[in-house]
Amino acid sequence: MKVLITGGAGYIGSHTAVELIEAGCRIVIADNFSNSSLVAVKRIRSITETEVPCYFADLRREETVTRIFRNERPDAVIHFAGLKAVGESNEHPVAYYDHNLGSMIQILKAMRTYNCRNLVYSSSATVYGGEAEMPVMEDAALQTTNPYGRTKKMIEEMLMDTSGAYPEMCITALRYFNPIGAHRSGLIGEDPLGIPNNIAPFITQVAAGRRGYLQIFGNDYETADGTGIRDYVHVTDLAKGHIAAINKGAGRNGYHVYNLGTGYGTSVLELVHMFRLVSGKRIPYVITPRRPGDAAVSFADTSKAERELGWKAELSLEDMCRDSWNWQQKNPAGYRSEMIMEVETL
Ligand SMILES: NC(=O)c1ccc[n+]([C@@H]2O[C@H](COP(=O)([O-])OP(=O)(O)OC[C@H]3O[C@@H](n4cnc5c(N)ncnc54)[C@H](O)[C@@H]3O)[C@@H](O)[C@H]2O)c1
């Protein structure tokens, strides 16, 4: 099977690329590198010892997407490309609708034209909003609180309509909980530009001394230690969930939705504690007020993915924190570490 991975140089896309190649698939990456680095593609090649075709492409452009499909004729698409920061989406909602909806529409048009019938889409637990009962199941009501979340919900609706009109397609939306960790080699990982929006890179940068302290948003939630609870899932487990979904999609049709998480909730303080154990470093933190829109508790019911896809997360919280820390230590400035070294040797 040949799989087009949009956003394949990004955090989850790069890990999925490695797992797909190791599972015997041929892959093609398309990315505009707005939030990623060519070094990630180079590292995917070195981990897998495989030549990976890669297009520098803005997927909102119809001619660009058409050209990729005409050249590559993929059997399946995993669509990761898009913008993903909640705070930024409040400041720049139009950019979020433009990139996220725009690229999805072009991909769907090209899939129709080139008779490509198997799509896996990156959705998010953010579509459940803050009020759902936990552990949350896929049939819970959707309720979004920001433009980013609304793009995810709108795209799911777009996919449902598309599947209804073209029953020969198989479209699978995967709702990720909180991916953290990195490839065990330490060669690929999460590489935020500027101040990290996600907690794991923030913590590892504090542990490494790049940032002074972690801000914990609220310790007055109704949880055991008062901090928010999330379902952290190792990015390699998440990547394997895509392989399960794409393989299943090759043999069926319709529209399907799955939660991808571990099914366990971990508080922010428990996460900090685990990072302290694996790194042996102090992780100073300050408690600041809650952020509007943050849920107190969020964790998945993963029984549907287990039953229908045969997928279950296997790696522990310790594995996640150890691999994030390994990535941070080997790449103190992320992928820029490699570029800095190359400049110095010249
Ligand atoms: N990381 C998370 O916590 C998380 C949680 C839930 C859902 N998701 C979703 O998973 C997907 C991947 O997330 P990630 O963490 O790997 O993000 P990422 O930013 O690391 O990867 C996204 C990639 O898409 C590329 N991109 C953005 N706009 C593009 C465009 N118009 N054309 C081509 N490429 C474009 C970026 O350069 C980047 O490489 C996103 O859709 C995100 O919304 C992520």
Side-chain angles (χ1 to χ4, degrees), residues 128-302:
Y128 294 122
E131 307 296 322
E133 200 177 311
M134 297 295 154
V136 66
M137 295 181 72
E138 288 82 350
D139 58 4
L142 304 190
Q143 191 194 58
T144 50
T145 55
N146 54 71
Y148 166 67
R150 277 187 277 282
T151 66
K152 294 283 157 193
K153 181 166 174 282
M154 285 178 189
I155 290 173
E156 285 203 21
E157 287 162 354
M158 195 191 290
L159 296 178
M160 224 182 304
D161 291 340
T162 304
S163 159
Y166 310 116
E168 68 280 12
M169 291 185 82
C170 182
I171 303 183
T172 309
L174 300 177
R175 293 181 184 151
Y176 313 152
F177 279 67
N178 294 76
I180 65 171
H183 191 263
R184 62 187 178 284
S185 63
L187 287 172
I188 53 174
E190 187 169 7
D191 181 29
L193 300 170
I195 300 172
N197 289 303
N198 287 344
I199 191 164
F202 208 110
I203 294 178
T204 57
Q205 290 187 9
V206 171
R210 270 182 72 187
R211 299 191 184 276
Y213 57 87
L214 171 72
Q215 254 182 301
I216 297 180
F217 299 103
N219 66 350
D220 53 356
Y221 288 108
E222 282 183 23
T223 60
D225 62 27
T227 62
I229 288 184
R230 294 290 178 272
D231 185 340
Y232 298 101
V233 55
H234 197 295
V235 65
T236 297
D237 274 334
L238 196 72
K240 289 180 177 166
H242 292 75
I243 293 163
I246 211 93
N247 283 336
K248 187 86 182 176
R252 68 173 174 177
N253 39 34
Y255 178 64
H256 309 274
V257 181
Y258 298 99
N259 286 340
L260 295 187
T262 60
Y264 296 101
T266 301
S267 76
V268 177
L269 284 178
E270 286 168 337
L271 184 69
V272 170
H273 181 68
M274 184 55 83
F275 268 112
R276 198 161 50 211
L277 279 182
V278 301
S279 67
K281 301 283 182 190
R282 279 182 62 249
I283 301 169
Y285 61 83
V286 296
I287 306 287
T288 56
R290 296 178 184 193
R291 281 185 305 199
D294 275 356
V297 180
S298 168
F299 62 103
D301 183 311
T302 57

Side-chain angles (χ1 to χ4, degrees), residues 4 19 33-34 41 45 49-50 53 55 57 59-60 87 127 134 142 153 215 228 234 255 282 313 317 324:
L4 170 63
E19 297 303 318
F33 297 95
S34 59
V41 178
R45 290 176 177 154
E49 296 178 358
T50 304
Y55 288 83
L59 299 165
R60 293 170 299 173
V127 296
M134 297 295 154
L142 304 190
K153 181 166 174 282
Q215 254 182 301
H234 197 295
Y255 178 64
R282 279 182 62 249
L317 189 70
S324 287

